[in-house]
Amino acid sequence: RAVDKLDRLGPDGVRLLLGEGRKDASGDFPKGAGLTVPAAERVLAFTRAGAGGRSETLDALASVIGGSAEGDEGMAELARGVDAHAAMQAAAYQTFVMALHADALAAARRDDEAIDILNRALAITETTGERFYAAELWRLKGIVLAKTGDVEGGRRALHEATAIAGRQGAKLFERRSAEDARALPAVT
């Protein structure tokens, strides 16, 4: 209930409601949720998590839930969904769903698992011919590789993403991949 008042009271007011409570305009002092300051800050961080794009949102969520039982269960649920989709032998959108899962794993700093899923998704694009999301798969792989310290591998993957998107006429994916490549540090 406290978070529902975020628009009206702002973060400071909600922080008080999550803690001991706050004096309202009528002079009443309704009791708060009794959360500790760190717990209240985590709730507020969760409410701010969706302020950016998908990657920023996943990064923010991973920092809030990272290492928690609930966060790990959320990642496991994503994995079960991907597995269930594959078990139905549904080819349509399989690589898209796998990319979402890999993106979430990378945001949770589970980079090896993310790379494994991206490699499997890229293999599927080759065997099924479903390439509508291939550029984005390569872009995500490039970002994760660079994050793990393989900047050159990341650069090659982003170059492949840009080339695929260009051949497909997918201007958004082409621009995103090129911008991510330019953002990589120079390797000397």
Side-chain angles (χ1 to χ4, degrees), residues 1-179:
R1 290 176 42 177
V3 172
D4 288 340
K5 296 176 174 79
L6 192 58
D7 290 346
R8 189 168 52 84
L9 300 177
D12 292 334
V14 170
R15 186 177 290 108
L16 293 171
L17 288 175
L18 291 170
E20 296 300 315
R22 72 179 277 282
K23 188 175 186 176
D24 64 22
S26 71
D28 289 338
F29 194 91
K31 185 178 177 186
L35 297 180
T36 64
V37 171
E41 289 305 320
R42 285 178 62 108
V43 170
L44 287 169
F46 190 84
T47 66
R48 292 187 301 268
R54 185 177 70 183
S55 293
E56 292 87 0
T57 297
L58 289 170
D59 286 343
L61 287 174
S63 71
V64 174
I65 65 169
S68 70
E70 294 86 0
D72 291 343
E73 178 55 30
M75 292 297 184
E77 187 171 339
L78 275 172
R80 287 192 301 273
V82 169
D83 291 344
H85 190 265
M88 293 185 305
Q89 297 181 344
Y93 299 102
Q94 185 175 8
T95 57
F96 171 75
V97 172
M98 292 173 82
L100 294 176
H101 185 204
D103 205 4
L105 288 168
R109 294 160 187 77
R110 293 166 58 177
D111 299 321
D112 291 341
E113 293 171 79
I115 290 292
D116 179 57
I117 287 173
L118 290 166
N119 285 335
R120 288 182 10 227
L122 287 164
I124 289 169
T125 67
E126 293 303 315
T127 59
T128 66
E130 182 187 312
R131 289 179 168 63
F132 86 97
Y133 217 60
E136 186 68 355
L137 292 168
W138 279 105
R139 186 188 76 81
L140 292 170
K141 183 175 180 177
I143 291 170
V144 176
L145 285 172
K147 187 171 86 167
T148 63
D150 184 2
V151 176
E152 268 314 303
R155 193 176 314 283
R156 284 190 301 274
L158 288 165
H159 176 74
E160 181 68 16
T162 305
I164 290 170
R167 287 192 302 271
Q168 293 176 335
K171 298 295 184 194
L172 172 66
F173 288 159
E174 184 178 19
R175 191 181 78 209
R176 287 177 73 185
S177 299
E179 287 174 2

